[in-house]
Amino acid sequence: MTESLTFAAIPHASPTPAGTRAALIEKPDFGRVPTDHMVTIKWSVDKGWHDATVLARGPFQLDPACAVLHYAQEIFEGMKAYRTADGAITLFRPEENARRFNESAERMAMPVIPEELFLAAIEELVRIDADWIPAGEGGSLYIRPFMFASEVFLGVKPASEYIFCVIASPVGAYFKGGSKAITLWVSEHYSRAAAGGTGAAKCGGNYAGSLVAQAEAIKNGCDQVVFLDAAEHRWVEELGGMNIFFVMDDGSLITPPLGTILSGITRNSIMELARAAGHDVREEPYSFDQWQADARSGKLREAFACGTAAVVAGIGEVRHAGGSFAIGNSGDGPVTTALRDQLVGIQRGNVADDRKWLHGVA
Ligand SMILES: *Cc1c(COP(=O)(O)O)cnc(C)c1O
């Protein structure tokens, strides 16, 4: 049944006028400007996936006992649609988002969604809201697929009903101030994830638990928090929503291994591009002590964070309860810049897509 699911379309009765839309997508704040539509697909134990619909974006009506409001059975993805110079619309490795979404679903005891249905839902939304994709440099349409437990029941168990939804929002550069290097706050008190926990799943709960640490980072004048492992508070893991790379003086790159971190599609792509460019790339534990020593000695030349939203962000300074240290020349280093340019170039259709990472939306 699921294979033959067709989308009912109930287009917005009064979509945003072109002039208003043009003003809204000129300098959008991340995630603040909604497009006109959304996609919803329901799932229940009895019917499986059903009622796929493209409709005007609007609020859900939820009973106060809706399961997600109590036990946080919720997962999401983040991806972008780009308008290339020749006017085509592309997605970057969306099959990877589909796969990861289902890995998150399995971890959270939620139903998996056929990858082709996940991709079809995204394409439906991108097509109907194509005019919301900003054309300018750095602009894209941020797409947020998510799924939540919608069953009305206060018992603690995997819900028997879910809603899958896709919304979108035009975005510009993620960090205000463009590609200026960011400052990180090392959280030595709070952890993001523990072995056996949900760190490798893209679930809302991970973010809820990271917000107090992020608030601490902001209070200390930093852009983002970086977490250490939960067991020893010693090994660098990742940021609240981005993976991290270290560039050493011999040209090699180090990034923390999978397990309690999110397996970023940007992280995977960077590893592949860096290896192809001749860098030795190692997924290995890197301690906070080593990080400080290497930054001081100059063995560490560059560091950067990466993820769909910000793509690649150079790390200029690191602060913690006991002091602070600078990395390299405190700006974007040459390796960071080269990898960012190559990745962004592929995403925007300006660099040859040798690996077939782009997925066209007709
Ligand atoms: C989404 C996310 C990332 C980045 O993943 P991408 O696929 O590169 O966007 C990294 N860390 C966490 C915790 C995330 O939620």
Side-chain angles (χ1 to χ4, degrees), residues 175-192:
F175 290 110
K176 298 193 183 76
S179 63
K180 186 167 81 42
I182 60 171
T183 300
L184 295 188
W185 172 254
V186 181
S187 175
E188 291 169 277
H189 177 64
Y190 298 109
S191 303
R192 177 186 170 273

Side-chain angles (χ1 to χ4, degrees), residues 108-276:
M108 305 302 284
M110 300 167 86
V112 296
I113 179 166
E115 289 183 16
E116 60 275 22
L117 184 56
F118 179 96
L119 294 174
I122 283 147
E123 291 190 24
E124 288 282 345
L125 184 63
V126 170
R127 244 181 253 127
I128 198 165
D129 282 338
D131 289 343
W132 287 90
I133 307 174
E137 197 190 334
S140 59
L141 186 67
Y142 185 79
I143 303 164
R144 169 55 58 85
F146 63 104
M147 171 168 51
F148 63 92
S150 55
E151 186 182 5
V152 178
F153 178 58
L154 288 181
V156 180
K157 58 143 192 124
S160 62
E161 288 170 23
Y162 296 85
I163 293 174
F164 170 80
C165 179
V166 191
I167 53 174
S169 175
V171 295
Y174 187 72
F175 290 110
K176 298 193 183 76
S179 63
K180 186 167 81 42
I182 60 171
T183 300
L184 295 188
W185 172 254
V186 181
S187 175
E188 291 169 277
H189 177 64
Y190 298 109
S191 303
R192 177 186 170 273
T198 58
K202 211 166 172 76
C203 61
N206 287 345
Y207 279 73
S210 77
L211 297 178
V212 67
Q214 176 64 22
E216 195 177 85
I218 301 287
K219 212 172 67 198
N220 283 282
C222 298
D223 298 292
Q224 290 277 315
V225 60
V226 57
F227 289 98
L228 304 178
D229 75 293
E232 299 181 75
H233 289 280
R234 180 174 170 209
W235 306 102
V236 180
E237 294 214 318
E238 64 168 323
L239 281 53
M242 277 184 275
N243 296 118
I244 190 166
F245 281 84
F246 304 95
V247 183
M248 314 312 287
D249 59 356
D250 62 358
S252 66
L253 273 68
I254 297 174
T255 194
L258 298 180
T260 51
I261 65 167
L262 205 281
S263 177
I265 295 160
T266 317
R267 174 184 180 275
N268 286 335
S269 306
I270 292 278
M271 286 200 295
E272 215 174 308
L273 294 176
R275 283 185 179 130

